[in-house]
Amino acid sequence: MTVQALGYVGVRAKSLEDWAAYGQNFLGLQRVDKSRQTLAFRMDDRKQRLVVDADGGQGIGFFGWEVADAAALDALAARLEGIGTKVARGSRALADERHVKDLVVANDPAGNRLEFFHGAAVTNDPFKPGRNISGFRTGTLGMGHVVMHFERIAEVMKFYQEVLEFKLSDYWLRPFPGYFFHVNPRHHSLAIVETGKNMVHHMMMELYSLDDVGQGYDLALQDEERIAVSLGRHSGDYVTSFYTWNPSGFMVEYGWGGQEIDDNVWKPFERKHGPSLWGHDRKWMSPEKREEARLLCIESAEAGLRQPVQVIEGNFNQMAGVCLWWDSMKAQQKAG
């Protein structure tokens, strides 16, 4: 695949002060830079991952997609130009502003600004979270994922799959069509949903510890109007998470426990049980769609849909005892 990860995101805002408090005190990002109109945050050893521009707008202003090197960047630019997409070489000033060696800029079919880059700058200064968290799961997986609303998704899907070579992980058709794409082992770095409008749906950040998420939920409960989606667990990437409204008018998913994809064995499939195994009451939906999503969760429970938690070294201990259900599942898989 040409694109390796979601490297950075730039959001539009009306106020830097609101983002300073939300990003640092709630999300636990490290504020590293502030000018009259911009604000930047770290979430790992990269010099910046999130850029806030107080231009008076809302939503995401640009997506930074990472490629391996200069040769990969040039090849991608040529491919985009070959299908008639306008491509602009980023200036030296813009590359310095983004803390990368080089970049090119283009738009997807819906007009979203995409910045393809290589050579992101890192720092030896330790990451200092804005609140006491274990840290964010980034590295080669990128900074997380984004999910986008689109009025119609056929042309957009063709662009991301055939031109940018994003790979389909899975999809669902209820309560609305949604398709999930990966560019590395993270289950999805981009998802697109067909909802009749063009805008960002949410951005996800993954934590190393489930307790980071739970303690963040406690903070969010102090202002329940900020909670957009209650605590729950997804049926696709298995992330346990909740969502809050950010100062730029869209949602941030705050989660833990995402599964990884091995392209050697993975086959895309339709998720017929809906978006979540349990929870995730979507307060932004219409009452009818909320009820449909709730019933899908109940169907999953009645069908006995269960998935093991996804853990990494250091954030779990093996319990004593035998799990009869999990042993039976493994036996069924072996027999199949």
Side-chain angles (χ1 to χ4, degrees), residues 108-127:
D108 73 9
N112 295 297
R113 178 182 170 104
L114 310 179
E115 298 182 357
F116 302 99
F117 73 93
H118 77 93
V122 299
T123 175
N124 292 324
D125 296 332
F127 168 63

Side-chain angles (χ1 to χ4, degrees), residues 58-97:
Q58 288 188 314
I60 290 181
F62 54 85
F63 303 84
W65 292 105
E66 187 166 6
V67 301
D69 50 32
L73 187 64
D74 291 341
L76 178 56
R79 187 185 309 161
L80 289 168
E81 290 174 334
I83 65 164
T85 299
K86 184 178 179 181
V87 178
R89 179 69 62 173
S91 66
R92 184 67 261 158
L94 180 61
D96 291 342
E97 186 178 325

Side-chain angles (χ1 to χ4, degrees), residues 135-178:
F136 296 95
R137 189 174 180 225
T138 57
T140 58
L141 300 177
M143 68 174 289
H145 72 235
V146 290
V147 177
M148 300 293 293
H149 289 281
F150 289 103
E151 185 176 1
R152 292 177 297 273
I153 61 177
E155 185 180 4
V156 175
M157 283 184 61
K158 183 177 181 180
F159 176 80
Y160 282 98
Q161 283 187 279
E162 297 182 11
V163 181
L164 298 185
E165 298 181 332
F166 285 30
K167 291 190 176 181
L168 181 65
S169 301
D170 52 39
Y171 63 98
W172 73 60
L173 300 177
R174 293 191 303 161
F176 43 77

Side-chain angles (χ1 to χ4, degrees), residues 91 96 120 176 205 261 266 272:
S91 66
D96 291 342
F176 43 77
M205 297 178 179
I261 284 179
W266 187 269
K272 296 185 178 181

Side-chain angles (χ1 to χ4, degrees), residues 42 48 56 74-75 85 103 125-126 148 189 207 209-210 212 223 227 231 246 249 290 299 306 311 315 324 333:
R42 283 180 59 192
Q48 67 181 24
D74 291 341
T85 299
L103 75 162
D125 296 332
M148 300 293 293
S189 292
L207 286 298
S209 171
L210 179 59
D212 291 335
D223 180 10
I227 297 177
L231 191 68
N246 67 42
R290 287 177 71 178
E299 288 178 14
R306 307 288 186 271
V311 295
N315 73 1
L324 298 178
Q333 292 174 355

Side-chain angles (χ1 to χ4, degrees), residues 132-260:
N132 193 356
I133 59 173
S134 61
F136 296 95
R137 189 174 180 225
T138 57
T140 58
L141 300 177
M143 68 174 289
H145 72 235
V146 290
V147 177
M148 300 293 293
H149 289 281
F150 289 103
E151 185 176 1
R152 292 177 297 273
I153 61 177
E155 185 180 4
V156 175
M157 283 184 61
K158 183 177 181 180
F159 176 80
Y160 282 98
Q161 283 187 279
E162 297 182 11
V163 181
L164 298 185
E165 298 181 332
F166 285 30
K167 291 190 176 181
L168 181 65
S169 301
D170 52 39
Y171 63 98
W172 73 60
L173 300 177
R174 293 191 303 161
F176 43 77
Y179 293 79
F180 298 76
F181 298 94
H182 63 277
V183 296
N184 57 50
R186 190 185 291 279
H187 175 271
H188 60 284
S189 292
L190 173 72
I192 59 179
V193 296
E194 187 171 81
T195 57
K197 51 189 174 183
N198 292 317
M199 61 183 294
V200 60
H201 181 276
H202 76 264
M203 171 174 63
M204 189 279 289
M205 297 178 179
E206 186 177 355
L207 286 298
Y208 276 123
S209 171
L210 179 59
D211 289 333
D212 291 335
V213 176
Q215 289 162 2
Y217 200 54
D218 282 342
L219 291 175
L221 287 171
Q222 296 176 5
D223 180 10
E224 292 196 31
E225 291 299 315
R226 187 177 286 276
I227 297 177
V229 180
S230 66
L231 191 68
R233 191 176 187 217
H234 282 302
S235 61
D237 61 7
Y238 304 157
V239 165
T240 299
S241 63
F242 67 97
Y243 298 58
T244 56
W245 294 108
N246 67 42
S248 293
F250 63 96
M251 295 177 286
V252 171
E253 180 183 5
Y254 207 63
W256 171 85
Q259 74 158 319
E260 295 186 2

